[in-house]
Amino acid sequence: MTIDCSTLKPAGLKYAIEHNVNICGVLDHGSKAGNGSVTPNANPVVGDCGTASISGWTLGSGRAYFQFRLVSSTGAIWYYSTSIVYSGSAGGGSLTFSGWWPGIEATGGGPANTGSGWADAYVAGSVTTDWAECTIGYPSMSLFVG
């Protein structure tokens, strides 16, 4: 059997990322394979406070889904204020997130109207942990949106 990559659903893309399975070339950074490239935790930025990363995948019809991940090495995350800033052929925008998180890891994400073609995204913001005030180091990624 051969998969029709244009029918690969977001749940399938998520499964491929989580299990490191290169279905339709979704793990090939910078490729135009299948339903668009996926960059799992692209360019993680590691600092004194922990790690920040971003991943994303295409939803088709000029839409992408971006997700950030923050992992603290300085205790529990008490508050975070982040933005995923994106740009593509339809222009740019941002997705904002804030709140408290009673653990060492925080994630969030959402859909974005990037337009078809290459899209770029990065994460910016700050985190308050048990031991420190931290600035997110701008992890970034690119993907081809179908």
Side-chain angles (χ1 to χ4, degrees):
M1 295 189 296
T2 303
I3 190 168
D4 176 354
C5 294
S6 68
T7 66
L8 189 59
K9 298 175 182 170
L13 290 172
K14 183 177 180 183
Y15 179 90
I17 293 168
E18 290 174 353
H19 294 89
N20 200 32
V21 178
N22 197 13
I23 298 171
C24 298
V26 298
L27 298 179
D28 297 337
H29 179 66
S31 78
K32 294 184 182 180
N35 201 26
S37 64
V38 174
T39 308
N41 298 322
N43 302 317
V45 175
V46 180
D48 296 340
C49 284
T51 304
S53 58
I54 184 171
S55 58
W57 52 92
T58 183
L59 297 174
S61 301
R63 292 173 44 92
Y65 190 94
F66 297 111
Q67 181 173 320
F68 72 87
R69 181 174 183 230
L70 309 172
V71 180
S72 170
S73 61
T74 57
I77 296 172
W78 290 106
Y79 182 78
Y80 63 93
S81 176
T82 63
S83 294
I84 297 174
V85 180
Y86 61 88
S87 62
S89 64
S94 66
L95 306 168
T96 58
F97 308 88
S98 63
W100 69 280
W101 203 265
I104 63 165
E105 184 176 327
T107 61
N113 293 315
T114 61
S116 296
W118 285 101
D120 300 304
Y122 66 88
V123 180
S126 62
V127 177
T128 301
T129 71
D130 279 336
W131 307 339
E133 297 289 328
C134 310
T135 301
I136 297 170
Y138 299 98
S140 62
M141 66 165 294
S142 297
L143 68 100
F144 188 82
V145 179

